[in-house]
Every structure is written in structure tokens, then in C-alpha cells.
Amino acid sequence: MDYFINVILPIPLEKSFTYAITKAEADFLKPGIRVSVPFGKSKIYTALVIEIHTNAPLVYEAKEIHQILDEVPIVTTEQLKHWTWISNYYMCTLGEVMRAALPSAFILESETVISKNDEVRLNDEDLKDDEFIVYEALHHQSSLKIQDLMAILDKKNVLPVIKRLLEKNVISVQEEIYEKYKPKLVRYVKLGANYSSEKSLQNLMEDLSRAPKQRDVVMTLFSVSAQTKKPVKVSDLSLESGASSSIIKTLIDKSILEEYHIQTDRVQYDGGDNEASKHLNEHQKKALSNISESFENQNITLLHGVTSSGKTEVYVKLIEAQLDANKQVLYLLPEIALTTQLVERLQNYFGEKVAVFHSKYSSHERVEVWNNVLHNAPTAQVILGARSSVLLPFQNLGLIIVDEEHESSYKQFDPAPRYHARDTAIVLASIFNSKTLLGSATPSLESYYNAKQGKYGLVELNHRYNNVLMPDIELVDIKDKHKRKRMQGHFSDRLIEEMTETLKNNHQIILFQNRRGFSPIVECQTCGHSPQCPNCDVSLTFHQYRNQLRCHYCGYHTVMPKTCDACGSVELDSKGFGTEQVEQEAKLLFPDHNVARMDLDTTRGKYGYEKIITALEQGEIDILVGTQMLTKGLDFRNVKLVGIMNADNMLNFPDFRAHERSYQLMAQVSGRAGRTEERGKVLIQTYNPYHKILQQVSTNNYQQMFEEQLDERHIYKYPPVFRMIKITLKHKDYNRVNIGADWYARSLRTVFDAHVLGPEYPPVARIRNQYLKHILVKIPQKQSLSKTKEAIIKINNSFLSVKDFRAIRVILNVDNY
Ligand code: ADP
Ligand code: ZN
Ligand code: ZN
């Protein structure tokens, strides 16, 4: 009988690929083991086995695999199930999911490299013709790839030649085509075996009396190991004894000390768990018991708890219960909130059981976390991670917590898989028959909607911990301030007053300026009005080259007006101002105080973000100016005042979620003020203090925000009432994209009719010389999502079979919001 495997290749192939294996290999292999396989003309890839069977492929002859790379599976069957769901739901290939999931050290691809074996002397007649050609070529070039050999020999199957040359020891094939994961080894020392008896030890100390430095080292070794009762690192010994490494080396050479290595993880926590979890107050206790109750008949529960209500401490109790039951817990956070602040807090409770996983980790560090999770190691019981940690190889997952579930950074936009970590986590939990807890002070509309519909359980926590009052939020009308000349740059007199007062009391200030203010929307300098699309209820964007205002959802457009539609003013501004400008102005206004800035530019590098946070915590910064980065669940003790420089550019952002997001941002950033005893103060500067969202923020009225926004989503047919799939076409030829997009949209309309929007240019219509066009498909609740996707795939396939369109890149983005 012939044996075959189906594998996932790390490239976007629609189907899995089949290779031939031997009986012995079939007995050995299991789904989740990696093999290296030839693909195409000369490529060699790392592939993942998903099925072992005896059915030869019908349309091609299965090639043989190259080698088996693992002893045991490195990917679990649960993961393979999960990946399949991701690939179906988000309309991408399994290869793309695998690429996102596996640390890159696991899937390096390479071409075999052949080099000459210099030690061997040969006579020409030892080699056959084809062998000699290769041998000759290696005199001119130190190494050759399989592809080169095929060119030199002018044939496809070069493996036999390579094999013969290898047998004759003429060449060597580089084995290290896969960058292997290298364990990190740490050097330790102990006393040499000859000195285990009392007597020999005495003799040794006498001998060493003439070498006091060496003796000191040995004495230090004794005292350190007596103290710590643990193996002693060479580095610690050198530090404690003050001895140079050459003295230690001498001792090792003399066999007085014995050197050995222990493999360690690169990222290690070496404090203990030194704190018991906190006693919950009555509100937290109630929330905890409500959550447990809700989990009795719901798999998913939303915890809606105001900022600083102590949600984290509630999570901690839930985690404890899982650890007691020997289950793993995944604690998901937006990337940016994964700071030492929270990590330390959890390590205090759970010590070395906490593993952290995020994108700033190196590939080796990721491999370590991967392996620890896979082996259910004691160091990977609570996995604290960003988006991609939903793709880890959990063994025994009991609970997933998705904190700040409303955060848009849970959605991956590029490249595929374009998954949403919250929704993907829910599916992961269900594979393990376990529960998901979503938590937020400002839940996303879709989660709250799901909770209201009874799809999720809902638990509310409305009291701040310690009865700290919600901050006092004041709206400052800058239209009026401008008119009365009460502005200095972008600062109103009210803001300056409050800042002066706060600084006088030695408290800190956060100034928030949304970076999105740079988007090309138009804003009236006099009244703050921003032209809206009549069909979509979003702001129109300014397209300079046509002097037009356009809606990037539906394509509505109009000429750029010369005067404001609302007040007739001629001062129409299409630029906006950024954090840098606010920082400069603050420095001028308060020259005796330290002003710092936190945005994408100042937080590059592995610890850029943390440095600023630490500086703020330690009181080195008086005024911190920042973007939405400031909102991510940070807990600052001494911040008393938050200033929001301009609420309007958030509210006018051209997106159907602009109002929801504005509410979330402002409520979250306000939540940074006054988290301890004293009440915090928030000033929101706006042209439009009567805007309903600002009223809702200032009265902390999430309910009303939710209901009004949901009404609008009904009226304008947006999520969560309708679902959406966004189709983006991309090509460097402007006309081709246009014609292709029209064709595509027309085909979609034959099926979905009025629920197709576009094609339309995005606000930035050309990126890296590629023109973009979007088409949106809106999906009513009654319409089957899977049937919709089938229809889109059908249209997509016919599109790509048109010769002129084949070169156009099509990007499908399910739930693109
Ligand atoms: P949230 O996540 O809801 O914004 P946190 O969990 O960060 O709130 O809690 C806010 C602050 O209150 C933190 O400093 C936390 O340590 C403290 N806190 C919360 N609950 C308790 C408790 N039960 N006992 C002592 N301190 C608590
Ligand atoms: Zn105006
Ligand atoms: Zn529109």
C-alpha cells in the first residue's frame, strides 16, 4: 500500500498539499509534526502534517518528503480545529493561519546549499561527467543551491547527483537549512568531585592558602550555596567573590571547580509569588458571584465595570479557581497594555506561573513560550498575551479573559488572517469546552448588543474601588473661547487655570490629542462643523487633487465648499493639529515643569513605552501629552487632571464607529484621572459642547450612548445590526483597478443588490504606488453568513479567471471593523 500525508505549506495555497511517505514514516508521523518538503521547482519548505492516509492525489504525482523535523507534534489537534475555523471564517488559507501562529523559527524555508569538501583529494576519473561538472563549478563558487545545479546540469532531477557526490564525500550539504531553536545555556559551577570528603577539602584549603584569591572563590561558593540552596551560576560567583573570570577558569582547569550547564528560558521570572490576592469588596464579590452564575448557562459573559472598579482583582479570583483545578488561563490584552505594570501585578499573585507573550518578543523567546504552553509547563499556567496569543498550543485551557474587549487593536488588519482576537478567543474556548469572560468599562457595541440579546451573559460593576468618585467632567466651548480671545494656541483659559492649580498641588496632568486629527477631514474653524455624507452618517473626506469631499463608504461626492454650510465662515481647515504641537505649546506655557510626549514616534524600541510610563509613575514628568496610547488601562496614582484638547476631530472621523470610539476613548482617558482618594478633573475642549456623545461622556451614560448608537446602526445598516465584508482591490495600474472594481461590484450586485456599497477610494487611495478600491458587502442578520461567503468566493474565482484581472490583488476582510 502507498502512504501519503496532507500538509499545510506556509504559503497561500487554497488546498492542502499531498506528499508520498514510506510505511515506516506513516507509522511515525502524526498530525502536528513538521516535515520539510520540496515544492515547485526548487523550493524547500517547512510543512505541517495534518492528515496521514492512503489516497494518492488525482491530478499530480506526490513527491517524497525531505525529512521529518519533529519527534512529537508541536501543534495540537485543538489548534488544527481552531485554524480551520479561522481560515473558513476569515476567508484565508490555512497556510496564512499557520504563518501567523508559528514562531518564525519553526517555519523557516530555505534552499539546500551545497559546498565543496576541501579535505578530499580527488582524481578526475573518480567522478562521472555530471559529478565533475558540479565539482568544477564549486571551484568557482563556494556554494551552490539546488536551483543553480539544475541550471548547470540542465536537468530537473539533480538529487541523484547530489547523492552520489555525498557518498564520495566530495561535497557537503548544509544541514542547517532550518534555523533551529537554540536553547539558552547558563554556566554553573560546583566543587570538583575529588573534594567531596572532609579530608580532601581540608587539604585543598591548605593548598590554596598560598593563593588567597582562589581560596576566596571557593569560600564564596560555599557560602552562596549554603544560603540559596540552589545551583550557583558562574556569573553570580564572580559577582559575589569579586573574582575575575580568569581566576574561576584556573580553578576549573585545576578540576577544583566543575563547570556544568543548565538550559534556561530566556524570559524568566525569579521573584516568588509574594502576595495573596486581595479581599474583594462587596461590589466585586457580587460581580464575581454573578459571573459564576452566568457561566452556569452561558459560555460567554461580559463584565461591564466602570474604570477603576477593580475588574482586574475579580479576574484574579477567577484565575485562582482555574489554577486550583489545574487548568491553563489565557488573559488577553491589547499589545500596548502589556506593560510591566500589569505583568508585575499578576506575577505578584501567581509568581512563575505567568508567561507573557507579545510581538516585541524575539523568535527564540516565542519558541520558549510556545513549548512551555504546549507542555503545560508550570511556567505557563497563566498566559498573558496580546492578539496572537490566541494561536498558542494550549493543552488544558479552562478560561479566557479578554480585557479591554472593545479595543480595536484586537483586530488584525494586515496580513491575513484578518482575525479578531476576541471572536477567535471565544471559538478557542468553545473547542476546550471552557468559558470566555469579556471585560471593559466601555464595551464595544457588538458585545453589549450580544449581551442585551441574551447571546452573552452580562454582569455590571458600577462602583469604583474605594468609592473614589467618577471624575468631574467639564466641557469647554472653544468656539466661544475663540470669539472672546480666551485661547492661547490650543489651550483655553479654563484648561490653563486647571493646569496651574494641579501643578501647584504637585499633581500630574495628562493631555490627550487624537493623532487621527491628521486625517483629511474638513473642519470649520469658526463653528467646528464638519460636512457629513447624507447616506452614511460619516464625515466626508477631503480629496485635494480633485478638490472634492467624498464619502469613502458609498462614493457620494461634492465639490469642496468655499464657506461653511453651517455658519458661512470662510475659515475651513483640513489639517488639524498633533501631539507635537501640544507638547511645544505646553512647554511654553509651563516652562518650569517637565513635559513629555507619548505617541508612536516617542515609543519606538522594546522599552520605549515603558520608560515613559515609569518616568510618569516616578514623578519625573509633570505633564504628559499623548495619543490613544494613554487610554489603555493604565493605573497612575498621581494624575489629577486630564485635558482632552479637541474632541471634535474624533467625533468627525470618517468611520461609522466614530461616535462609539470617541465615547470609549474619552471615557477611558478620563478614567486615568483621580484613581485614588481625590476626585479627578477632566476638561474636554470642543466646538460643540451640546454634541450628544460629549453629554453622554460627561454624565458617564454608557446606556444612552449604546441605545442611540444602536438606533443609528439600524437606520444606516451597520454592525452590529448588519455584518460587513470589505473587499479591497489593489494594483499599480489605476485603470485596471477601476475596471476590475466595477466588474467585481456589478457581479456582487447581481447577488446582493443594494447591500453592496462602492467601489470607492479609501481616504488614502494610493499606497506604495498601488491604487486601492474598496467594495463593502453588508449582510443582514437573516442572511446566512456562510452562503454569503460562498457567493463571494464564486465571484472572486470568476474574477481571477479573467485574464486582465488576474494580476489585481484582492483582499477579503471579514468583519472589517
Ligand atoms: P479596573 O481594571 O476596573 O480599572 P483595577 O483592577 O485596576 O480596576 O483597580 C483599580 C485600583 O484599585 C488598583 O490600584 C487596584 O489595586 C485597587 N483595588 C481594586 N480592588 C481592590 C481590592 N479588593 N482591594 C484592594 N485594592 C483594590
Ligand atoms: Zn462653520
Ligand atoms: Zn456615504
mmCIF file of all heavy atoms in Angstrom, residues 512-530:
data_model
loop_
_atom_site.group_PDB
_atom_site.id
_atom_site.type_symbol
_atom_site.label_atom_id
_atom_site.label_comp_id
_atom_site.label_asym_id
_atom_site.label_seq_id
_atom_site.Cartn_x
_atom_site.Cartn_y
_atom_site.Cartn_z
ATOM 1 N N PHE A 512 -4.562 64.886 26.177
ATOM 2 C CA PHE A 512 -4.860 63.899 25.159
ATOM 3 C C PHE A 512 -5.167 64.592 23.837
ATOM 4 O O PHE A 512 -6.018 65.462 23.762
ATOM 5 C CB PHE A 512 -6.064 63.086 25.630
ATOM 6 C CG PHE A 512 -6.583 62.113 24.626
ATOM 7 C CD1 PHE A 512 -5.915 60.937 24.390
ATOM 8 C CD2 PHE A 512 -7.737 62.389 23.927
ATOM 9 C CE1 PHE A 512 -6.396 60.033 23.452
ATOM 10 C CE2 PHE A 512 -8.223 61.497 22.986
ATOM 11 C CZ PHE A 512 -7.550 60.312 22.764
ATOM 12 N N GLN A 513 -4.431 64.208 22.815
ATOM 13 C CA GLN A 513 -4.740 64.732 21.490
ATOM 14 C C GLN A 513 -4.758 63.574 20.507
ATOM 15 O O GLN A 513 -3.773 62.870 20.342
ATOM 16 C CB GLN A 513 -3.704 65.782 21.060
ATOM 17 C CG GLN A 513 -3.797 66.226 19.621
ATOM 18 C CD GLN A 513 -5.164 66.824 19.261
ATOM 19 O OE1 GLN A 513 -5.964 67.150 20.125
ATOM 20 N NE2 GLN A 513 -5.424 66.954 17.982
ATOM 21 N N ASN A 514 -5.909 63.377 19.887
ATOM 22 C CA ASN A 514 -6.040 62.240 19.000
ATOM 23 C C ASN A 514 -5.224 62.446 17.739
ATOM 24 O O ASN A 514 -5.384 63.419 17.027
ATOM 25 C CB ASN A 514 -7.506 62.063 18.637
ATOM 26 C CG ASN A 514 -7.758 60.684 18.107
ATOM 27 O OD1 ASN A 514 -6.921 60.139 17.396
ATOM 28 N ND2 ASN A 514 -8.862 60.108 18.467
ATOM 29 N N ARG A 515 -4.334 61.505 17.487
ATOM 30 C CA ARG A 515 -3.477 61.573 16.318
ATOM 31 C C ARG A 515 -4.288 61.564 15.031
ATOM 32 O O ARG A 515 -3.870 62.094 14.011
ATOM 33 C CB ARG A 515 -2.550 60.372 16.347
ATOM 34 C CG ARG A 515 -1.614 60.250 15.184
ATOM 35 C CD ARG A 515 -0.450 59.402 15.540
ATOM 36 N NE ARG A 515 0.600 60.243 16.081
ATOM 37 C CZ ARG A 515 1.596 60.725 15.367
ATOM 38 N NH1 ARG A 515 1.702 60.431 14.100
ATOM 39 N NH2 ARG A 515 2.504 61.495 15.879
ATOM 40 N N ARG A 516 -5.448 60.937 15.118
ATOM 41 C CA ARG A 516 -6.284 60.860 13.933
ATOM 42 C C ARG A 516 -6.692 62.238 13.434
ATOM 43 O O ARG A 516 -7.247 62.363 12.357
ATOM 44 C CB ARG A 516 -7.529 60.049 14.238
ATOM 45 C CG ARG A 516 -7.234 58.589 14.364
ATOM 46 C CD ARG A 516 -8.451 57.909 14.897
ATOM 47 N NE ARG A 516 -8.437 56.505 14.567
ATOM 48 C CZ ARG A 516 -9.388 55.662 14.915
ATOM 49 N NH1 ARG A 516 -10.411 56.102 15.606
ATOM 50 N NH2 ARG A 516 -9.307 54.404 14.587
ATOM 51 N N GLY A 517 -6.447 63.229 14.218
ATOM 52 C CA GLY A 517 -6.700 64.599 13.808
ATOM 53 C C GLY A 517 -6.018 64.964 12.509
ATOM 54 O O GLY A 517 -6.354 65.953 11.889
ATOM 55 N N PHE A 518 -5.058 64.158 12.080
ATOM 56 C CA PHE A 518 -4.372 64.469 10.837
ATOM 57 C C PHE A 518 -5.149 64.044 9.600
ATOM 58 O O PHE A 518 -4.782 64.393 8.499
ATOM 59 C CB PHE A 518 -3.004 63.784 10.806
ATOM 60 C CG PHE A 518 -2.000 64.469 11.677
ATOM 61 C CD1 PHE A 518 -1.494 63.842 12.789
ATOM 62 C CD2 PHE A 518 -1.577 65.760 11.392
ATOM 63 C CE1 PHE A 518 -0.574 64.471 13.603
ATOM 64 C CE2 PHE A 518 -0.665 66.397 12.192
ATOM 65 C CZ PHE A 518 -0.161 65.760 13.306
ATOM 66 N N SER A 519 -6.194 63.269 9.799
ATOM 67 C CA SER A 519 -6.928 62.778 8.628
ATOM 68 C C SER A 519 -7.533 63.934 7.860
ATOM 69 O O SER A 519 -7.900 64.941 8.436
ATOM 70 C CB SER A 519 -8.061 61.859 9.039
ATOM 71 O OG SER A 519 -7.658 61.071 10.085
ATOM 72 N N PRO A 520 -7.631 63.756 6.580
ATOM 73 C CA PRO A 520 -8.085 64.867 5.756
ATOM 74 C C PRO A 520 -9.593 65.070 5.829
ATOM 75 O O PRO A 520 -10.298 64.873 4.863
ATOM 76 C CB PRO A 520 -7.639 64.463 4.351
ATOM 77 C CG PRO A 520 -7.646 62.964 4.380
ATOM 78 C CD PRO A 520 -7.338 62.573 5.776
ATOM 79 N N ILE A 521 -10.096 65.407 6.996
ATOM 80 C CA ILE A 521 -11.485 65.824 7.036
ATOM 81 C C ILE A 521 -11.489 67.332 7.186
ATOM 82 O O ILE A 521 -10.503 67.931 7.572
ATOM 83 C CB ILE A 521 -12.275 65.186 8.191
ATOM 84 C CG1 ILE A 521 -11.638 65.551 9.523
ATOM 85 C CG2 ILE A 521 -12.398 63.692 8.025
ATOM 86 C CD1 ILE A 521 -12.596 65.486 10.654
ATOM 87 N N VAL A 522 -12.604 67.914 6.851
ATOM 88 C CA VAL A 522 -12.683 69.369 6.862
ATOM 89 C C VAL A 522 -13.405 69.813 8.125
ATOM 90 O O VAL A 522 -14.383 69.208 8.535
ATOM 91 C CB VAL A 522 -13.435 69.866 5.615
ATOM 92 C CG1 VAL A 522 -13.696 71.355 5.705
ATOM 93 C CG2 VAL A 522 -12.614 69.532 4.385
ATOM 94 N N GLU A 523 -12.873 70.854 8.721
ATOM 95 C CA GLU A 523 -13.498 71.343 9.939
ATOM 96 C C GLU A 523 -13.551 72.872 9.881
ATOM 97 O O GLU A 523 -12.568 73.500 9.517
ATOM 98 C CB GLU A 523 -12.651 70.889 11.119
ATOM 99 C CG GLU A 523 -13.338 70.999 12.447
ATOM 100 C CD GLU A 523 -12.445 70.440 13.546
ATOM 101 O OE1 GLU A 523 -11.527 71.165 13.968
ATOM 102 O OE2 GLU A 523 -12.653 69.297 13.945
ATOM 103 N N CYS A 524 -14.689 73.396 10.227
ATOM 104 C CA CYS A 524 -14.816 74.848 10.253
ATOM 105 C C CYS A 524 -14.148 75.397 11.500
ATOM 106 O O CYS A 524 -14.432 74.966 12.601
ATOM 107 C CB CYS A 524 -16.296 75.245 10.221
ATOM 108 S SG CYS A 524 -16.534 77.007 10.517
ATOM 109 N N GLN A 525 -13.256 76.338 11.303
ATOM 110 C CA GLN A 525 -12.509 76.914 12.423
ATOM 111 C C GLN A 525 -13.407 77.768 13.320
ATOM 112 O O GLN A 525 -13.085 78.020 14.464
ATOM 113 C CB GLN A 525 -11.377 77.809 11.901
ATOM 114 C CG GLN A 525 -10.243 77.071 11.270
ATOM 115 C CD GLN A 525 -9.376 76.366 12.293
ATOM 116 O OE1 GLN A 525 -9.799 75.389 12.898
ATOM 117 N NE2 GLN A 525 -8.168 76.869 12.515
ATOM 118 N N THR A 526 -14.497 78.220 12.724
ATOM 119 C CA THR A 526 -15.366 79.108 13.486
ATOM 120 C C THR A 526 -16.392 78.335 14.319
ATOM 121 O O THR A 526 -16.576 78.605 15.492
ATOM 122 C CB THR A 526 -16.102 80.070 12.531
ATOM 123 O OG1 THR A 526 -15.109 80.674 11.702
ATOM 124 C CG2 THR A 526 -16.840 81.150 13.296
ATOM 125 N N CYS A 527 -17.046 77.325 13.687
ATOM 126 C CA CYS A 527 -18.114 76.645 14.425
ATOM 127 C C CYS A 527 -17.834 75.164 14.644
ATOM 128 O O CYS A 527 -18.588 74.484 15.335
ATOM 129 C CB CYS A 527 -19.456 76.819 13.720
ATOM 130 S SG CYS A 527 -19.641 75.776 12.254
ATOM 131 N N GLY A 528 -16.775 74.621 14.062
ATOM 132 C CA GLY A 528 -16.430 73.212 14.290
ATOM 133 C C GLY A 528 -17.242 72.243 13.437
ATOM 134 O O GLY A 528 -17.079 71.044 13.536
ATOM 135 N N HIS A 529 -18.100 72.766 12.570
ATOM 136 C CA HIS A 529 -18.911 71.894 11.728
ATOM 137 C C HIS A 529 -18.033 71.118 10.736
ATOM 138 O O HIS A 529 -17.036 71.614 10.249
ATOM 139 C CB HIS A 529 -19.932 72.730 10.953
ATOM 140 C CG HIS A 529 -20.693 71.970 9.922
ATOM 141 N ND1 HIS A 529 -21.709 71.099 10.238
ATOM 142 C CD2 HIS A 529 -20.554 71.917 8.571
ATOM 143 C CE1 HIS A 529 -22.176 70.560 9.121
ATOM 144 N NE2 HIS A 529 -21.487 71.034 8.088
ATOM 145 N N SER A 530 -18.471 69.912 10.456
ATOM 146 C CA SER A 530 -17.729 69.070 9.532
ATOM 147 C C SER A 530 -18.734 68.431 8.589
ATOM 148 O O SER A 530 -19.679 67.791 9.044
ATOM 149 C CB SER A 530 -16.994 68.017 10.361
ATOM 150 O OG SER A 530 -16.059 67.381 9.595
#
